[in-house]
Amino acid sequence: MADVYRWRLAPDGLATRRQLRALGLRPGGQDVVAELHRPRRRRAPLVAYLYRVDRAKSVRPMTPARAAALAAAMRARRTCPNCRTDVGYCIPRSLGMCVPCHDLPQL
């Protein structure tokens, strides 16, 4: 079982995924070393998983193919399925189409 630390009391040398990413690192297949619990009133605590920084690997570089795939995915999120235009923002999943198409009266 992983060690459990309270909020802001984790020892040095451990980091969350976001903290590793800010350092240009990734967990690299290592198991979770510890958990960080942030208590909340009347709800279950927030849990963050901690990894060892010394075992972390560097982030893989962005290749042209990965960059093209990421650009295509973001373009698909911005393209309205109704009017087929790039609206310049990510379409809300709750609407399923751009705001102008959603606001048009249905005939």
XYZ file of all heavy atoms in Angstrom:
839
model
N 0.844 -1.180 0.000
C 0.000 0.000 0.000
C 0.893 1.249 0.000
O 1.926 1.310 0.643
C -0.899 0.023 1.225
C -1.762 1.217 1.289
S -3.104 0.954 2.412
C -3.672 2.599 2.550
N 0.466 2.267 -0.728
C 1.223 3.509 -0.841
C 1.097 4.322 0.451
O 0.113 4.235 1.172
C 0.700 4.321 -2.013
N 2.144 5.092 0.740
C 2.106 5.980 1.892
C 1.072 7.065 1.659
O 0.817 7.460 0.523
C 3.475 6.631 2.106
C 4.548 5.615 2.476
O 4.189 4.580 3.060
O 5.720 5.866 2.184
N 0.501 7.558 2.748
C -0.507 8.618 2.658
C -0.005 9.820 3.447
O 0.386 9.695 4.612
C -1.866 8.142 3.223
C -2.877 9.268 3.192
C -2.373 6.944 2.435
N -0.008 10.980 2.780
C 0.413 12.222 3.411
C -0.743 13.210 3.378
O -1.570 13.195 2.469
C 1.618 12.834 2.682
C 2.838 11.950 2.700
C 3.200 11.216 1.585
C 3.631 11.862 3.840
C 4.322 10.410 1.597
C 4.754 11.061 3.865
C 5.087 10.333 2.745
O 6.192 9.530 2.764
N -0.772 14.073 4.371
C -1.770 15.134 4.378
C -1.313 16.271 3.475
O -0.140 16.372 3.113
C -2.022 15.639 5.799
C -2.778 14.596 6.621
C -3.205 15.082 7.975
N -3.885 16.355 7.997
C -5.215 16.508 7.928
N -5.981 15.464 7.809
N -5.736 17.704 7.987
N -2.235 17.135 3.132
C -1.999 18.261 2.237
C -0.792 19.072 2.689
O -0.684 19.442 3.862
C -3.253 19.126 2.223
C -3.237 20.255 1.273
C -3.182 21.578 1.583
C -3.303 20.184 -0.148
N -3.207 22.333 0.459
C -3.293 21.504 -0.634
C -3.380 19.141 -1.052
C -3.343 21.806 -1.981
C -3.439 19.437 -2.394
C -3.426 20.753 -2.842
N 0.127 19.333 1.778
C 1.339 20.134 1.978
C 2.363 19.500 2.917
O 3.273 20.173 3.382
C 1.000 21.536 2.470
C 0.178 22.304 1.466
C -0.085 23.699 1.954
N -1.013 24.345 1.048
C -0.832 25.532 0.522
N 0.232 26.227 0.825
N -1.714 26.044 -0.287
N 2.228 18.228 3.233
C 3.170 17.578 4.142
C 3.933 16.442 3.472
O 4.554 15.628 4.161
C 2.436 17.056 5.389
C 1.801 18.127 6.279
C 1.062 17.482 7.443
C 2.844 19.093 6.789
N 3.930 16.381 2.168
C 4.676 15.339 1.463
C 6.164 15.674 1.484
O 6.553 16.833 1.420
C 4.183 15.221 0.026
N 7.014 14.658 1.562
C 8.459 14.925 1.587
C 8.973 15.368 0.228
O 8.321 15.179 -0.798
C 9.051 13.570 1.986
C 8.036 12.579 1.565
C 6.706 13.245 1.706
N 10.146 15.956 0.225
C 10.790 16.365 -1.024
C 11.122 15.120 -1.844
O 11.334 14.039 -1.293
C 12.065 17.151 -0.746
C 11.781 18.503 -0.109
O 10.655 19.013 -0.305
O 12.671 19.033 0.572
N 11.168 15.286 -3.146
C 11.493 14.170 -4.019
C 10.273 13.469 -4.581
O 10.402 12.565 -5.399
N 9.068 13.878 -4.149
C 7.827 13.332 -4.683
C 7.073 14.445 -5.390
O 7.093 15.599 -4.962
C 6.960 12.746 -3.570
C 7.553 11.607 -2.751
C 6.565 11.147 -1.700
C 7.951 10.450 -3.644
N 6.379 14.090 -6.469
C 5.645 15.105 -7.231
C 4.443 14.474 -7.911
O 4.431 13.268 -8.208
C 6.559 15.735 -8.279
N 3.426 15.292 -8.170
C 2.255 14.846 -8.920
C 2.588 14.861 -10.411
O 3.632 15.347 -10.829
C 1.055 15.780 -8.664
O 1.375 17.086 -9.141
C 0.699 15.831 -7.191
N 1.676 14.353 -11.227
C 1.885 14.360 -12.677
C 2.054 15.779 -13.208
O 2.905 16.036 -14.059
C 0.700 13.704 -13.392
C 0.701 12.215 -13.337
C -0.515 11.673 -14.105
N -0.511 10.250 -14.133
C 0.032 9.516 -15.100
N 0.620 10.100 -16.106
N -0.013 8.208 -15.055
N 1.237 16.700 -12.724
C 1.349 18.091 -13.182
C 2.674 18.711 -12.789
O 3.276 19.459 -13.554
C 0.199 18.931 -12.622
C -1.095 18.703 -13.334
C -2.107 19.720 -12.893
N -3.357 19.497 -13.603
C -4.344 20.343 -13.611
N -4.249 21.466 -12.953
N -5.448 20.077 -14.275
N 3.125 18.420 -11.587
C 4.407 18.961 -11.151
C 5.543 18.369 -11.973
O 6.496 19.068 -12.323
C 4.609 18.690 -9.665
C 3.678 19.492 -8.783
C 3.693 19.030 -7.345
O 4.033 17.889 -7.038
N 3.304 19.923 -6.442
N 5.452 17.066 -12.284
C 6.466 16.455 -13.134
C 6.465 17.099 -14.508
O 7.513 17.398 -15.079
C 6.221 14.948 -13.264
C 6.522 14.095 -12.044
C 6.114 12.654 -12.308
C 7.977 14.180 -11.653
N 5.276 17.325 -15.058
C 5.173 17.927 -16.388
C 5.777 19.331 -16.400
O 6.425 19.732 -17.368
C 3.705 17.964 -16.818
C 3.473 18.417 -18.220
C 4.130 17.463 -19.197
N 3.972 17.963 -20.547
C 3.875 17.208 -21.610
N 3.930 15.907 -21.493
N 3.743 17.735 -22.793
N 5.568 20.089 -15.334
C 6.150 21.431 -15.250
C 7.673 21.375 -15.232
O 8.338 22.318 -15.665
C 5.639 22.149 -14.001
N 8.228 20.258 -14.770
C 9.673 20.064 -14.765
C 10.177 19.433 -16.062
O 11.374 19.174 -16.192
C 10.074 19.167 -13.587
C 9.806 19.710 -12.184
C 10.055 18.630 -11.140
C 10.668 20.932 -11.924
N 9.263 19.156 -16.986
C 9.646 18.524 -18.244
C 9.824 17.023 -18.118
O 10.565 16.421 -18.879
N 9.121 16.422 -17.141
C 9.252 14.999 -16.877
C 7.902 14.298 -16.979
O 6.857 14.947 -17.036
C 9.832 14.776 -15.473
C 11.191 15.399 -15.195
C 11.527 15.287 -13.717
C 12.268 14.742 -16.041
N 7.942 12.965 -16.973
C 6.740 12.131 -16.952
C 7.013 10.959 -16.021
O 8.185 10.625 -15.759
C 6.398 11.644 -18.354
C 7.476 10.788 -18.979
C 7.139 10.433 -20.425
N 8.273 9.840 -21.079
C 8.491 8.529 -21.189
N 7.624 7.678 -20.696
N 9.558 8.072 -21.799
N 5.971 10.301 -15.486
C 6.215 9.183 -14.564
C 7.031 8.055 -15.183
O 7.819 7.401 -14.492
C 4.820 8.706 -14.190
C 3.945 9.878 -14.402
C 4.549 10.638 -15.548
N 6.879 7.784 -16.454
C 7.712 6.793 -17.119
C 7.430 5.365 -16.710
O 8.349 4.560 -16.657
N 6.193 5.033 -16.390
C 5.836 3.657 -16.069
C 6.018 3.264 -14.619
O 5.698 2.135 -14.252
N 6.490 4.148 -13.784
C 6.666 3.794 -12.377
C 5.321 3.761 -11.665
O 4.369 4.416 -12.057
C 7.625 4.767 -11.684
C 7.114 6.194 -11.600
C 8.015 7.076 -10.800
O 8.309 6.780 -9.647
N 8.467 8.166 -11.402
N 5.242 2.972 -10.625
C 4.016 2.879 -9.839
C 3.879 4.091 -8.928
O 4.855 4.788 -8.643
C 4.033 1.613 -8.983
C 3.940 0.350 -9.828
O 3.316 0.416 -10.906
O 4.493 -0.682 -9.409
N 2.663 4.307 -8.451
C 2.394 5.392 -7.506
C 3.124 5.074 -6.207
O 3.034 3.960 -5.681
C 0.880 5.527 -7.257
C 0.590 6.521 -6.154
C 0.171 5.928 -8.535
N 3.878 6.037 -5.692
C 4.661 5.844 -4.476
C 3.861 6.241 -3.243
O 3.949 5.593 -2.207
C 5.970 6.670 -4.544
C 6.755 6.553 -3.261
C 6.792 6.228 -5.721
N 3.057 7.300 -3.363
C 2.316 7.801 -2.211
C 1.067 8.530 -2.682
O 0.905 8.820 -3.863
C 3.185 8.743 -1.391
N 0.180 8.790 -1.734
C -1.031 9.561 -2.001
C -1.010 10.804 -1.125
O -0.509 10.779 -0.001
C -2.288 8.747 -1.674
C -2.524 7.597 -2.581
C -3.802 6.846 -2.235
O -4.498 7.253 -1.285
O -4.079 5.862 -2.916
N -1.571 11.863 -1.657
C -1.685 13.117 -0.930
C -3.174 13.367 -0.735
O -3.929 13.378 -1.706
C -1.046 14.239 -1.750
C -0.900 15.589 -1.099
C 0.118 15.491 0.031
C -0.434 16.597 -2.116
N -3.608 13.522 0.516
C -5.023 13.736 0.801
C -5.253 15.159 1.252
O -4.585 15.643 2.171
C -5.500 12.782 1.887
C -5.646 11.379 1.403
N -6.437 10.461 2.027
C -5.117 10.727 0.338
C -6.372 9.317 1.391
N -5.577 9.452 0.359
N -6.202 15.813 0.599
C -6.600 17.160 1.009
C -8.000 17.056 1.606
O -8.968 16.767 0.897
C -6.613 18.106 -0.179
C -7.011 19.499 0.213
C -6.969 20.427 -0.964
N -7.324 21.755 -0.530
C -7.691 22.717 -1.354
N -7.737 22.495 -2.644
N -7.997 23.902 -0.894
N -8.140 17.276 2.894
C -9.455 17.109 3.527
C -10.455 18.173 3.075
O -10.086 19.304 2.752
C -9.163 17.238 5.022
C -7.871 17.953 5.108
C -7.118 17.677 3.845
N -11.716 17.756 3.023
C -12.818 18.668 2.702
C -13.946 18.425 3.691
O -14.114 17.315 4.195
C -13.331 18.414 1.277
C -12.271 18.632 0.233
C -12.825 18.575 -1.162
N -13.381 17.264 -1.484
C -14.012 16.989 -2.615
N -14.174 17.915 -3.523
N -14.485 15.797 -2.858
N -14.733 19.417 3.930
C -15.860 19.282 4.857
C -16.992 18.494 4.215
O -17.377 18.752 3.082
C -16.391 20.653 5.263
C -15.427 21.440 6.086
C -16.048 22.734 6.492
N -15.032 23.592 7.108
C -15.248 24.818 7.477
N -16.424 25.371 7.282
N -14.285 25.520 8.021
N -17.503 17.549 4.930
C -18.683 16.766 4.551
C -18.539 16.020 3.221
O -19.524 15.637 2.620
C -19.930 17.651 4.509
C -20.309 18.202 5.874
C -21.607 18.974 5.823
N -21.516 20.206 5.075
C -21.153 21.375 5.585
N -20.840 21.471 6.839
N -21.122 22.451 4.830
N -17.314 15.867 2.746
C -17.080 15.111 1.515
C -15.796 14.316 1.658
O -14.992 14.575 2.540
C -16.977 16.052 0.315
C -18.298 16.714 -0.037
C -18.195 17.473 -1.313
N -17.453 18.714 -1.090
C -17.160 19.571 -2.041
N -17.500 19.328 -3.278
N -16.503 20.680 -1.772
N -15.621 13.398 0.763
C -14.383 12.620 0.759
C -13.208 13.531 0.412
O -13.366 14.520 -0.310
C -14.489 11.490 -0.258
N -12.021 13.221 0.907
C -10.875 14.087 0.615
C -10.461 13.997 -0.851
O -10.686 12.992 -1.527
C -9.776 13.536 1.513
C -10.161 12.125 1.769
C -11.655 12.102 1.768
N -9.857 15.083 -1.335
C -9.263 15.064 -2.667
C -7.972 14.254 -2.590
O -7.227 14.360 -1.625
C -8.951 16.482 -3.134
C -10.145 17.382 -3.411
C -9.660 18.788 -3.728
C -10.958 16.834 -4.562
N -7.719 13.456 -3.598
C -6.554 12.582 -3.593
C -5.678 12.912 -4.794
O -6.164 13.035 -5.916
C -6.972 11.099 -3.640
C -5.756 10.199 -3.699
C -7.832 10.754 -2.439
N -4.389 13.064 -4.550
C -3.407 13.246 -5.621
C -2.370 12.141 -5.469
O -1.959 11.806 -4.364
C -2.746 14.614 -5.509
N -1.976 11.566 -6.587
C -0.990 10.490 -6.571
C 0.399 11.073 -6.788
O 0.596 11.928 -7.628
C -1.333 9.453 -7.632
C -2.690 8.840 -7.411
C -3.747 9.126 -8.253
C -2.919 8.008 -6.323
C -4.997 8.585 -8.031
C -4.158 7.461 -6.091
C -5.196 7.752 -6.947
O -6.431 7.220 -6.726
N 1.357 10.583 -6.025
C 2.715 11.110 -6.057
C 3.675 10.088 -6.655
O 3.546 8.883 -6.414
C 3.166 11.482 -4.643
C 2.326 12.536 -3.934
C 2.797 12.697 -2.498
C 2.402 13.855 -4.666
N 4.641 10.596 -7.414
C 5.661 9.782 -8.067
C 7.037 10.282 -7.651
O 7.196 11.446 -7.288
C 5.525 9.878 -9.590
C 4.174 9.441 -10.093
C 3.136 10.358 -10.245
C 3.935 8.118 -10.418
C 1.893 9.959 -10.701
C 2.695 7.711 -10.883
C 1.676 8.632 -11.014
O 0.451 8.230 -11.456
N 8.024 9.417 -7.736
C 9.398 9.805 -7.397
C 10.001 10.598 -8.555
O 9.942 10.185 -9.706
C 10.238 8.576 -7.112
C 9.857 7.930 -5.797
C 10.708 6.778 -5.445
N 12.131 7.077 -5.551
C 13.073 6.238 -5.200
N 12.762 5.063 -4.699
N 14.339 6.558 -5.333
N 10.577 11.737 -8.224
C 11.162 12.604 -9.239
C 12.437 11.984 -9.809
O 12.698 12.083 -11.006
C 11.447 14.013 -8.651
C 12.140 14.897 -9.663
C 10.151 14.656 -8.174
N 13.204 11.304 -8.984
C 14.474 10.737 -9.466
C 14.270 9.567 -10.429
O 15.161 9.233 -11.199
C 15.356 10.316 -8.294
C 14.707 9.279 -7.389
O 13.482 9.077 -7.484
O 15.433 8.667 -6.572
N 13.106 8.935 -10.416
C 12.811 7.838 -11.347
C 12.053 8.310 -12.582
O 11.791 7.523 -13.484
C 11.990 6.758 -10.655
C 12.736 5.948 -9.655
C 11.888 4.794 -9.218
N 12.534 4.052 -8.143
C 11.930 3.122 -7.442
N 10.663 2.816 -7.699
N 12.576 2.486 -6.489
N 11.659 9.568 -12.611
C 10.885 10.092 -13.737
C 11.759 10.205 -14.979
O 12.971 10.394 -14.891
C 10.300 11.450 -13.380
N 11.127 10.082 -16.127
C 11.831 10.182 -17.408
C 11.459 11.499 -18.076
O 10.445 12.109 -17.751
C 11.450 9.016 -18.308
C 11.844 7.670 -17.738
C 11.454 6.555 -18.667
C 11.853 5.210 -18.072
N 11.414 4.099 -18.918
N 12.264 11.903 -19.025
C 11.974 13.152 -19.717
C 10.781 12.968 -20.655
O 10.504 11.858 -21.121
C 13.198 13.632 -20.499
O 13.540 12.680 -21.474
N 10.098 14.054 -20.935
C 8.935 14.031 -21.810
C 9.391 13.729 -23.231
O 10.421 14.230 -23.688
C 8.203 15.392 -21.757
C 7.041 15.427 -22.721
C 7.716 15.670 -20.360
N 8.622 12.893 -23.911
C 8.965 12.572 -25.291
C 8.798 13.819 -26.161
O 7.837 14.568 -25.998
C 8.054 11.469 -25.812
C 8.242 10.154 -25.108
C 7.342 9.097 -25.733
N 7.380 7.884 -24.956
C 6.338 7.381 -24.312
N 5.170 7.984 -24.358
N 6.450 6.272 -23.629
N 9.692 14.033 -27.114
C 9.584 15.227 -27.959
C 8.389 15.135 -28.904
O 7.966 14.039 -29.288
C 10.901 15.245 -28.727
C 11.363 13.834 -28.724
C 10.876 13.232 -27.440
N 7.864 16.293 -29.273
C 6.745 16.355 -30.208
C 7.265 16.095 -31.617
O 8.148 16.801 -32.095
C 6.078 17.733 -30.137
C 4.871 17.896 -31.038
S 3.458 16.895 -30.599
C 2.895 17.720 -29.129
N 6.719 15.081 -32.262
C 7.112 14.761 -33.634
C 6.174 15.468 -34.594
O 5.060 15.872 -34.200
C 7.056 13.246 -33.878
O 5.699 12.809 -33.715
C 7.956 12.489 -32.911
N 6.540 15.626 -35.843
C 5.631 16.252 -36.809
C 4.306 15.502 -36.944
O 3.247 16.119 -37.093
C 6.416 16.222 -38.119
C 7.843 16.184 -37.697
C 7.868 15.402 -36.416
N 4.334 14.185 -36.870
C 3.099 13.412 -36.987
C 2.182 13.647 -35.787
O 0.960 13.787 -35.938
C 3.419 11.924 -37.121
N 2.768 13.696 -34.575
C 1.954 13.964 -33.386
C 1.392 15.373 -33.421
O 0.252 15.607 -33.015
C 2.783 13.755 -32.126
C 3.052 12.285 -31.830
C 3.922 12.100 -30.617
N 3.247 12.559 -29.409
C 3.864 12.773 -28.262
N 5.157 12.594 -28.157
N 3.195 13.176 -27.213
N 2.178 16.338 -33.893
C 1.703 17.714 -33.996
C 0.551 17.817 -34.996
O -0.443 18.514 -34.753
C 2.841 18.639 -34.403
N 0.652 17.097 -36.112
C -0.421 17.111 -37.114
C -1.682 16.453 -36.566
O -2.799 16.943 -36.797
C 0.040 16.394 -38.378
N -1.534 15.352 -35.828
C -2.697 14.681 -35.238
C -3.374 15.568 -34.198
O -4.612 15.634 -34.130
C -2.277 13.355 -34.616
N -2.579 16.265 -33.395
C -3.136 17.172 -32.394
C -3.864 18.337 -33.060
O -4.959 18.726 -32.636
C -2.024 17.685 -31.487
C -2.435 18.597 -30.344
C -3.393 17.882 -29.418
C -1.219 19.071 -29.591
N -3.296 18.888 -34.119
C -3.948 19.982 -34.845
C -5.258 19.514 -35.468
O -6.266 20.238 -35.440
C -3.015 20.530 -35.919
N -5.291 18.296 -36.018
C -6.521 17.768 -36.615
C -7.592 17.547 -35.556
O -8.776 17.838 -35.787
C -6.223 16.464 -37.353
N -7.205 17.069 -34.379
C -8.174 16.855 -33.306
C -8.757 18.176 -32.820
O -9.971 18.282 -32.587
C -7.511 16.114 -32.151
N -7.922 19.195 -32.679
C -8.424 20.496 -32.240
C -9.301 21.142 -33.308
O -10.298 21.794 -32.993
C -7.253 21.423 -31.872
C -6.513 20.982 -30.625
S -7.587 20.756 -29.191
C -8.106 22.422 -28.898
N -8.951 20.955 -34.577
C -9.785 21.470 -35.673
C -11.160 20.799 -35.658
O -12.187 21.434 -35.858
C -9.077 21.255 -37.003
C -9.722 21.949 -38.165
C -8.881 21.928 -39.443
N -8.202 20.657 -39.709
C -6.902 20.419 -39.516
N -6.122 21.373 -39.037
N -6.371 19.248 -39.788
N -11.197 19.509 -35.362
C -12.475 18.788 -35.288
C -13.323 19.297 -34.130
O -14.556 19.355 -34.248
C -12.219 17.293 -35.141
N -12.699 19.674 -33.017
C -13.455 20.209 -31.881
C -14.009 21.594 -32.164
O -14.977 22.025 -31.525
C -12.568 20.275 -30.637
C -12.239 18.910 -30.068
C -11.434 19.021 -28.814
N -12.215 19.660 -27.761
C -11.717 20.052 -26.601
N -10.435 19.896 -26.358
N -12.480 20.612 -25.693
N -13.397 22.333 -33.094
C -13.852 23.686 -33.430
C -14.827 23.718 -34.598
O -15.428 24.752 -34.866
C -12.650 24.567 -33.776
C -11.736 24.888 -32.640
C -10.719 25.941 -33.040
N -10.125 25.701 -34.336
C -8.939 25.145 -34.550
N -8.208 24.764 -33.532
N -8.475 24.979 -35.762
N -14.982 22.619 -35.329
C -15.842 22.585 -36.512
C -17.249 22.176 -36.115
O -17.463 21.111 -35.532
C -15.285 21.605 -37.557
O -13.950 21.995 -37.874
C -16.121 21.615 -38.816
N -18.210 23.011 -36.456
C -19.611 22.742 -36.140
C -20.131 21.637 -37.070
O -19.990 21.738 -38.288
C -20.431 24.013 -36.319
S -22.206 23.767 -36.064
N -20.758 20.595 -36.533
C -21.284 19.540 -37.395
C -22.519 19.978 -38.178
O -22.878 19.355 -39.175
C -21.639 18.416 -36.411
C -21.864 19.100 -35.123
C -20.955 20.293 -35.123
N -23.135 21.061 -37.764
C -24.348 21.546 -38.416
C -24.034 22.416 -39.632
O -24.510 22.159 -40.732
C -25.181 22.325 -37.395
C -26.645 22.318 -37.733
O -27.102 21.476 -38.474
N -27.362 23.255 -37.162
N -23.212 23.443 -39.450
C -22.904 24.376 -40.536
C -21.527 24.137 -41.162
O -21.161 24.795 -42.135
C -23.012 25.820 -40.046
S -21.854 26.263 -38.739
N -20.752 23.205 -40.606
C -19.441 22.810 -41.134
C -18.439 23.967 -41.224
O -17.627 24.006 -42.138
C -19.571 22.165 -42.513
C -20.413 20.942 -42.552
C -19.618 19.795 -42.034
N -20.408 18.562 -42.169
C -20.276 17.536 -41.369
N -19.411 17.571 -40.403
N -21.007 16.473 -41.536
N -18.492 24.904 -40.299
C -17.525 25.997 -40.295
C -16.660 25.911 -39.038
O -17.099 25.418 -37.995
C -18.219 27.369 -40.318
O -19.088 27.475 -39.185
C -19.016 27.562 -41.581
N -15.435 26.408 -39.148
C -14.542 26.500 -38.005
C -14.928 27.769 -37.254
O -14.741 28.882 -37.742
C -13.090 26.573 -38.479
C -12.098 26.522 -37.329
O -12.495 26.749 -36.176
O -10.919 26.260 -37.604
N -15.485 27.598 -36.065
C -16.028 28.735 -35.335
C -14.984 29.443 -34.470
O -15.275 30.479 -33.884
C -17.239 28.311 -34.471
C -18.404 27.927 -35.354
C -16.885 27.195 -33.526
N -13.772 28.899 -34.368
C -12.705 29.571 -33.647
C -12.666 29.281 -32.160
O -11.823 29.815 -31.457
N -13.560 28.438 -31.638
C -13.554 28.036 -30.240
C -14.013 26.592 -30.170
O -14.625 26.078 -31.107
C -14.460 28.935 -29.388
C -15.895 28.989 -29.856
C -16.835 28.054 -29.427
C -16.319 29.977 -30.733
C -18.148 28.103 -29.862
C -17.630 30.038 -31.168
C -18.544 29.097 -30.727
O -19.843 29.146 -31.161
N -13.710 25.935 -29.081
C -14.155 24.549 -28.918
C -15.656 24.541 -28.665
O -16.152 25.235 -27.778
C -13.422 23.873 -27.769
S -11.703 23.544 -28.144
N -16.357 23.760 -29.458
C -17.815 23.698 -29.369
C -18.211 23.005 -28.071
O -17.682 21.932 -27.762
C -18.381 22.961 -30.587
C -18.085 23.778 -31.837
C -19.870 22.700 -30.436
C -18.436 23.094 -33.116
N -19.113 23.584 -27.288
C -19.544 22.951 -26.040
C -20.222 21.609 -26.323
O -21.074 21.500 -27.197
C -20.540 23.946 -25.440
C -20.304 25.228 -26.140
C -19.741 24.900 -27.473
N -19.830 20.604 -25.566
C -20.437 19.284 -25.749
C -21.897 19.296 -25.352
O -22.696 18.508 -25.859
C -19.666 18.251 -24.940
C -18.266 18.025 -25.493
C -17.493 17.032 -24.684
N -18.173 15.751 -24.656
C -17.805 14.735 -23.896
N -16.767 14.860 -23.106
N -18.468 13.606 -23.918
N -22.272 20.201 -24.442
C -23.663 20.268 -24.012
C -24.577 20.734 -25.144
O -25.751 20.368 -25.187
C -23.804 21.199 -22.814
O -23.374 22.506 -23.153
N -24.037 21.552 -26.067
C -24.835 22.042 -27.190
C -24.722 21.107 -28.400
O -25.693 20.897 -29.116
C -24.386 23.443 -27.599
C -24.479 24.535 -26.539
C -23.999 25.852 -27.112
C -25.891 24.650 -26.013
N -23.531 20.599 -28.657
C -23.333 19.719 -29.800
C -23.192 20.451 -31.120
O -23.034 19.833 -32.162
N -23.258 21.769 -31.095
C -23.110 22.593 -32.291
C -22.695 23.984 -31.848
O -22.684 24.278 -30.655
C -24.409 22.640 -33.089
C -25.599 23.207 -32.341
S -27.154 23.116 -33.234
C -27.551 21.404 -33.052
N -22.363 24.840 -32.804
C -21.938 26.193 -32.435
C -23.132 26.972 -31.874
O -24.288 26.612 -32.087
C -21.319 26.900 -33.636
S -22.440 27.232 -34.989
N -22.840 28.040 -31.186
C -23.881 28.818 -30.530
C -24.870 29.425 -31.532
O -26.098 29.353 -31.313
C -23.260 29.906 -29.618
C -24.333 30.788 -29.020
C -22.437 29.243 -28.516
N -24.424 30.005 -32.657
C -25.408 30.536 -33.610
C -26.350 29.462 -34.167
O -27.547 29.715 -34.310
C -24.540 31.119 -34.739
C -23.247 31.454 -34.086
C -23.054 30.403 -33.044
N -25.835 28.271 -34.459
C -26.712 27.194 -34.939
C -27.676 26.750 -33.838
O -28.826 26.431 -34.115
C -25.893 25.990 -35.398
S -25.014 26.258 -36.953
N -27.218 26.741 -32.595
C -28.070 26.339 -31.501
C -29.185 27.346 -31.261
O -30.298 26.982 -30.886
C -27.236 26.147 -30.229
C -28.019 25.700 -29.060
N -28.501 26.561 -28.119
C -28.423 24.462 -28.691
C -29.162 25.888 -27.204
N -29.127 24.600 -27.515
N -28.870 28.631 -31.463
C -29.851 29.680 -31.186
C -30.875 29.840 -32.308
O -31.892 30.530 -32.109
C -29.149 31.013 -30.953
C -28.397 31.006 -29.618
O -28.683 30.126 -28.772
O -27.522 31.869 -29.433
N -30.622 29.264 -33.486
C -31.594 29.364 -34.578
C -32.856 28.580 -34.218
O -32.774 27.482 -33.672
C -31.018 28.791 -35.878
C -30.007 29.658 -36.599
C -29.452 28.895 -37.807
C -30.614 30.952 -37.054
N -34.041 29.135 -34.541
C -35.269 28.378 -34.247
C -35.362 27.142 -35.153
O -35.044 27.195 -36.338
C -36.398 29.376 -34.547
C -35.767 30.397 -35.431
C -34.310 30.440 -35.131
N -35.772 26.034 -34.581
C -35.928 24.805 -35.330
C -37.258 24.816 -36.069
O -38.294 25.140 -35.514
C -35.894 23.588 -34.369
C -34.603 23.494 -33.595
C -33.395 23.277 -34.503
O -33.499 22.570 -35.494
N -32.295 23.904 -34.161
N -37.206 24.487 -37.369
C -38.436 24.494 -38.187
C -39.113 23.157 -38.186
O -38.611 22.130 -38.050
C -38.097 24.899 -39.624
C -37.514 26.312 -39.764
C -37.129 26.564 -41.201
C -38.508 27.345 -39.302
